[in-house]
Amino acid sequence: MGNVRSLSNKTDELAALTRYQREYRDTSLMLFTETWLTTHIPDSAIAMDNFHLLRADRTAESAVYVPPSANAETACETLLSCTSTLQTQHPQALFLISGDFNHSSPASVLPTFTQYVICPTRDNKTLDLFFVNAKEAYSSSPLPPLGRADHNIVHLRPVYQPIVHRQPVVSRVVKRWSPESEEALRDCFDTTVWTELCDPHGEDINAMTECITDYINFCFENTVPSRTVRCFSNNKPWINPDIKALLKEKKRAFKSGNKEGLRTAQKKLRRKIRRAKAAYRRRMEQQLQNQNISATHPSPHTAACPHLHAWTKAHTNSSHLCLSPAHHYTWTHPSPSTPPPAPALSVTAAQVRRELKRIKTRKAAGPDCISPRLLKSCADELCGVMGHVFNMSLKLRVVPQLWKTSCVVPVPKTPHAKDLSSFRPVALTSHLMKTLERLVLGHLRSTVSSALDPLQFAYRPGIGVEDAVIFLLHRSLSHLEKPGCAVRILFFDFSSAFNTIQPLLLRDKLETAGVDCDLAEWILDYLTNRPQFVRARDCVSDLLTCSVGAPQGTVLAPFLFTLYTADFRHNTDSCVLQKFSDDSAIIGLITDDDDAEYRGLTQDFVDWCQQNHLLLNAGKTKEMVVDFRRRHSIAPPPVNIQGRDIERVDSYKYLGVHLNNKLDWTHNTDALYRKARAGSTF
C-alpha cells in the first residue's frame, strides 16, 4: 500500500517490480491512494498483468479525502458512520481501511480495529495507515517509493503462516508392532534368567534398575522391527500410501489427456478415501471406548532366549546365561538362612500384573524409554521381576534415581506463544514408577481413609467437580431460604501450591495419620532430589534437580497434597471449608449480619497456610456476597488478608462453572454460548 501521488506515469516501473522482485511478485493485493486518476485515463493505461483493477476515483460527491484543513473530528465521525453501516450489513466480513489520514486519528473511533503500519511512510512520520478488524494479522515494513513519490511503499505481510510452511518434513523412526513381535518379546522375557541380572547388584537398587531397564530396551530394539516414516504437517490422519499413489495416478492421467484413465482414477480415489476415513473412524472409536484386546497367554516355548545371551555377552563378557529350551522361568525370592523382616507394604506378582495390564498403550514413554505397550503386552513375563524390584525399593525406603527422573515438555497454551508464561509444562515419568505409585496409592487410601478431609472433593473415586459445585449451591440455597440470611463465599487462590509442599512436614503428617514409618520414609525419598530435564523440538537441556514440592506427571503427588491439607478442616452450621485440590472456598452462612465465625475461620486458615508454607495470592483471592433480602443493610466491611482488602465480585469462575451473586445460570450460559461461538469460527 502507498500514496503514489500519480499512478499513470509509474505503471512501467510497477510492472517491472511485479515481474522481477519477489516482494511485489508474491503480492495478492495492492492499495494505492491519491493516484490522481480522472475519467480521461482509461483502465488499460494502468492495468497490471495478473491483477484485477478496482477504481474508486474521487468525485465532488465523495468524502474520501481528508485535507489538512479539514475538521479531524468530523472526518472521523463520517468514517465511523460509514464503517458501522457496512459492519451492520455484513457482520462477518473482513474490513480493510487504508489511506493517508494526515492529522486525523481514526483509532479513537474504531476501537475494534487494529492499525498495522508502524514504520515511517513520509520522512520520519507515519501518515499512511492501515486498519483491519482482526488482531495479529499483519506486520509492516517500508519499501522504496514509486518514481518520485514523496511517500514510501508499505509492505504488509500476514503474521499467520500455514503449518505446512512453518514445519518441514520430518523423518522419524517408529516401531512396527504386530502380534508376531509381541509374541517374540514374550518368548524372550519368559526364557530370561532374571536372577543373573539382579543378584550381582545386591541391594544397589539404582544399579539393578538401570541393568534391568537396559536389558528390556535391548530386547525391544532387537525384536520389534523399525521403519522410517516421513511426517508431513498438513497430512490428514487418514492419508495412507495407497491414496498418495492414486493421487499421482490421477495427475499422470490428466497430464497425458487420458480422459478414461482420469475417470477411473477418480472413482478409485473416491472409494479409497471413503474406506480410509471409515477405517480411521473405527480406530478412533475403538481407542475412545478403551476396547484394547488383551494379549493372549504365550504358548510353550521351543527355543531359548538369544537376547539375554547377546546382551550379557556385550555387557559382562559371559555367555552362560541362556536356559534350556524346555525351561520356563518363574520369579522366586531367594531363601536365605535368616529371612529378613518383611516391609509394612509388599506387593505380589498378581498385583503388579493387574496394574501393568491397565497401562494405556498410547501414552508417551518416560525417560527410561520403556514403551507402555511393551509393559502391557509382556505383563505376565515382567510382573515377577518388577515385583521384586518394587519390594526392594519399599524395603530399602529408596526410589531408584532413574524412576524419579522426569522429562518436561513445554506445550503452548495459545496459538501464538510469546514468552515462557505461554507454555504449560508437561512432565513425562517412567511407567514402571507409575505402576508402583498406583500400588502404593491403593495402600494409602485404605490406611489413611479416616484422616482424609470429607470435604476434599478431588482425587476421590466416584467424586468430581459436579459434586463440589452441587454441595456449595445446596448449602447456600438451603440457608438463603431462611429469613434474614445471607451467604458470603471466599474463593482462595494459591501461588504454586504443589511446589510449596514441604516433604518433612508431609512425612510427619503421614505418620500421624497412621502410615508406617518405613513407607513415610519412602515417600520422603520419593519427593526429594528429583532430576528434571526439558525437551523442546529435539533439544534437551541440562539435568536439573528439584528437591521441593510435589512432582508433576506422577500418580501419587495429587493424593499426597490432599493429605498435606487434610489436618485443617471446618464444617459447622454457619461456616464450611470445602476443597478441590488447591481450589479452596469458605462458605459463610450469615444470619442477622453476624460474621464473627466467618472472619475467624478465614484468619485461622490464613495462619495455617503460613505455618505450612502454602502461599496465598491475596490479589487473586475473591469474595462473593449472595443476599436476597429486599432491604439490604449496610454492606459489611471486606475481609482483610495479609494487610490487603479482598476484592468483592458479582461473579466468579469456580471449577469451570461461572457463579454469580444471584445463584442463577445466566453468567454460565453466556460464557458457554460465547465459547461455542468462538469455536464455531474455526
Side-chain angles (χ1 to χ4, degrees), residues 203-374:
E203 293 188 348
D204 189 350
I205 188 69
N206 289 306
M208 182 187 299
T209 304
E210 292 179 0
C211 177
I212 294 176
T213 301
D214 291 342
Y215 175 70
I216 292 176
N217 287 328
F218 176 82
C219 296
F220 172 69
E221 292 294 334
N222 287 273
T223 303
V224 182
S226 303
R227 65 167 178 163
T228 303
V229 296
R230 301 179 68 196
C231 301
F232 298 86
S233 57
N234 63 332
N235 255 8
K236 297 295 183 182
W238 41 267
I239 294 293
N240 55 41
D242 294 337
I243 293 179
K244 293 180 181 179
L246 286 175
L247 288 172
K248 293 180 180 179
E249 180 181 344
K250 178 182 176 181
K251 187 176 181 180
R252 287 193 299 266
F254 174 77
K255 287 186 176 181
S256 62
N258 185 357
K259 295 183 179 180
E260 185 64 27
L262 180 62
R263 285 194 295 268
T264 304
Q266 287 175 337
K267 291 181 181 179
K268 291 181 179 179
L269 183 61
R270 286 197 300 268
R271 191 182 302 114
K272 183 65 70 173
I273 290 176
R274 185 167 60 251
R275 292 177 179 175
K277 285 185 175 181
Y280 176 73
R281 176 181 56 81
R282 290 192 298 268
R283 189 164 65 251
M284 291 296 101
E285 290 177 352
Q286 184 178 5
Q287 292 175 4
L288 293 175
Q289 295 172 1
N290 294 325
Q291 295 178 348
N292 295 322
I293 301 175
S294 59
T296 57
H297 192 275
S299 57
H301 311 294
T302 58
C305 173
H307 298 286
L308 180 60
H309 176 80
W311 184 84
T312 51
K313 185 175 182 180
H315 289 74
T316 62
N317 294 325
S318 62
S319 58
H320 61 281
L321 300 179
C322 284
L323 296 178
S324 61
H327 184 80
H328 299 279
Y329 184 78
T330 303
W331 178 265
T332 56
H333 293 285
S335 54
S337 57
T338 304
L345 170 63
S346 61
V347 298
T348 63
Q351 292 175 321
V352 178
R353 181 189 301 108
R354 183 181 66 249
E355 294 300 331
L356 289 178
K357 287 184 176 294
R358 291 178 179 177
I359 293 179
K360 297 181 180 180
T361 58
R362 297 186 66 85
K363 293 289 185 179
D368 57 359
C369 300
I370 296 182
S371 168
R373 182 166 182 175
L374 180 150

Side-chain angles (χ1 to χ4, degrees), residues 163-217:
I163 297 179
V164 66
H165 294 158
R166 283 182 285 168
Q167 300 181 357
V169 179
V170 179
S171 297
R172 295 177 179 173
V173 178
V174 298
K175 292 294 184 179
R176 302 184 63 177
W177 284 95
S178 63
E180 292 77 13
S181 61
E182 293 182 0
E183 185 69 23
L185 271 177
R186 287 193 286 268
D187 290 342
C188 173
F189 295 139
D190 194 45
T191 56
T192 298
V193 186
W194 294 106
T195 52
E196 298 292 341
L197 300 178
C198 298
D199 290 348
H201 303 287
E203 293 188 348
D204 189 350
I205 188 69
N206 289 306
M208 182 187 299
T209 304
E210 292 179 0
C211 177
I212 294 176
T213 301
D214 291 342
Y215 175 70
I216 292 176
N217 287 328

